[in-house]
Amino acid sequence: MNRMPDMPPKFAIVDSNVLTCIGLADLLEMIMPGISVRTFQNMEDLQKADPTSFAHMFVSAQMYIQHACFFRDQRPRPIVLTNGDSMPQLSNALTLNVCQSEMGLIKDIMSMHKNKHRTEH
């Protein structure tokens, strides 16, 4: 990641579902004031925006699977948004279950941040 020390961390949300993007962006900005969040509905727009500039990329499971080679090369920055289902093809990816309560999401995001992603393979 190439960012200046005084620049706020940048996060990307990559999901074709606009409501998911808006909701997750609002939640991230609420629990981490001062960050910058950009949303993308497709991979082409993400790639135009210099993906290496993002501290993390929250990516829909479908998008992650469709572009697995790209996202595997970006580890540990991608965080795959799941619907609570166990998906064997995501066994080596950091995941966030988006089908839970707001407090559950906050707890999981803060736990990831606190643990510095120790759960990654």
Side-chain angles (χ1 to χ4, degrees):
M1 175 180 57
N2 301 324
R3 79 174 172 90
M4 304 292 286
D6 58 341
M7 298 285 294
K10 292 172 40 177
F11 293 84
I13 301 170
V14 188
D15 195 322
S16 59
N17 184 322
V18 174
L19 293 177
T20 297
C21 291
I22 292 169
L24 184 55
D26 285 349
L27 185 65
L28 290 170
E29 290 168 342
M30 179 185 76
I31 62 177
M32 293 182 269
I35 65 168
S36 172
V37 179
R38 290 197 50 200
T39 62
F40 303 93
Q41 272 71 56
N42 58 60
M43 283 300 296
E44 295 76 27
D45 290 344
L46 172 67
Q47 290 173 324
K48 289 177 191 173
D50 182 19
T52 63
S53 69
F54 297 103
H56 284 289
M57 295 176 278
F58 292 86
V59 184
S60 72
Q62 178 183 0
M63 197 89 58
Y64 184 89
I65 292 166
Q66 288 174 343
H67 303 278
C69 290
F70 171 81
F71 287 112
R72 276 194 296 263
D73 290 344
Q74 301 295 318
R75 282 187 193 146
R77 294 179 300 115
I79 298 170
V80 184
L81 305 175
T82 67
N83 294 322
D85 301 326
S86 176
M87 300 177 74
Q89 61 269 51
L90 299 177
S91 63
N92 290 325
L94 188 60
T95 61
L96 177 65
N97 176 9
V98 295
C99 289
Q100 61 178 313
S101 69
E102 181 177 351
M103 288 308 298
L105 279 169
I106 291 170
K107 179 182 171 192
D108 287 352
I109 292 168
M110 296 307 292
S111 178
M112 284 181 202
H113 178 70
K114 179 182 175 187
N115 294 324
K116 302 292 184 199
H117 319 293
R118 279 186 262 172
T119 59
E120 294 170 19
H121 297 102

